[in-house]
Amino acid sequence: MLADYLEECFGRMDWWTLIRNARLNGQTYAAFPNILGTPVNPAFVKAVWRVFDNMTVAQHINDVTGPNKTDEFYYCLTLGELWTIMQADWPLIRDMFASDAALGFTFTKTMFNHTMRVIKETRNELFHSNPIKERKKIFEACERILNGLQFHLGDYDHDLGAAQYVRVSPTVARAQRHVIPAR
């Protein structure tokens, strides 16, 4: 959604290559008061710049290097980087979501940040093999983001409800050397 939205804003999907190339040519993020004629908050450019500064995974570097790129940049973002970029220019990003009138509430930057914080904390719980502490809270946060993007969580729930899970039995016998992952 963000890739398509920013393509609409900037007029091309690979807008981020301008920042990548400027960085490689020794410029600073201050060289971008706008991107292809669209005014942007310096914090937005700085957040994108920082992604390139911190990119260390060889596959990600390879994915965003060279000509003929489109949306590869977005696949290299962590949830935290995505959140930082989006909140860095809230007036620009806010229009990606449904209007306050359509939502029935005011979707402020504060609400967005709170929602993303809940999602990120839950992501961290899952990544570290911990149980989700507050399921209702994460459900509401996901529902708020999806609703803002004009999707309904119930549609996904319906699709998941029709999915069938078949457990595959292990083929390696459990041995004394096997340990349970730390929690």
Side-chain angles (χ1 to χ4, degrees):
M1 294 274 321
L2 182 62
D4 293 333
Y5 174 73
L6 291 177
E7 178 183 22
E8 287 178 28
C9 292
F10 302 135
R12 55 191 260 201
M13 179 69 76
D14 68 343
W15 62 269
W16 54 270
T17 62
L18 302 172
I19 296 171
R20 176 201 66 192
N21 294 345
R23 183 181 161 276
L24 293 173
N25 291 324
Q27 292 180 290
T28 69
Y29 70 89
F32 289 91
N34 66 67
I35 296 175
L36 298 166
T38 301
V40 291
N41 186 314
F44 177 85
V45 178
K46 189 174 184 179
V48 173
W49 199 280
R50 193 173 304 126
V51 169
F52 289 111
D53 283 345
N54 296 331
M55 196 175 285
T56 58
V57 177
Q59 183 63 50
H60 289 174
I61 294 168
N62 186 53
D63 288 346
V64 299
T65 301
N68 303 320
K69 299 297 177 181
T70 56
D71 62 351
E72 293 85 354
F73 173 72
Y74 299 96
Y75 294 103
C76 299
L77 297 175
T78 66
L79 180 59
E81 290 167 338
L82 178 69
W83 175 14
T84 299
I85 290 168
M86 291 178 72
Q87 65 88 31
D89 197 342
W90 184 244
L92 174 71
I93 298 299
R94 174 59 185 90
D95 288 339
M96 181 174 77
F97 297 95
S99 69
D100 292 344
L103 291 173
F105 60 88
T106 304
F107 193 43
T108 63
K109 181 178 178 179
T110 300
M111 181 180 284
F112 173 76
N113 282 332
H114 171 74
T115 301
M116 290 302 294
R117 187 172 299 107
V118 169
I119 292 170
K120 187 173 180 189
E121 287 170 359
T122 302
R123 175 257 174 233
N124 290 343
E125 289 170 350
L126 292 172
F127 185 79
H128 294 287
S129 302
N130 292 319
I132 298 172
K133 292 177 187 160
E134 299 185 52
R135 289 178 182 263
K136 185 175 183 340
K137 204 172 183 181
I138 184 60
F139 186 89
E140 289 169 350
C142 291
E143 192 170 44
R144 189 167 28 257
I145 290 290
L146 288 170
N147 184 34
L149 293 172
Q150 319 251 19
F151 292 99
H152 190 269
L153 189 58
D155 296 338
Y156 294 99
D157 189 50
H158 179 267
D159 291 345
L160 288 173
Q164 293 184 359
Y165 172 75
V166 178
R167 183 169 175 82
V168 177
S169 298
T171 57
V172 174
R174 180 139 177 73
Q176 185 67 29
R177 64 182 171 76
H178 292 120
V179 295
I180 298 173
R183 298 227 182 259

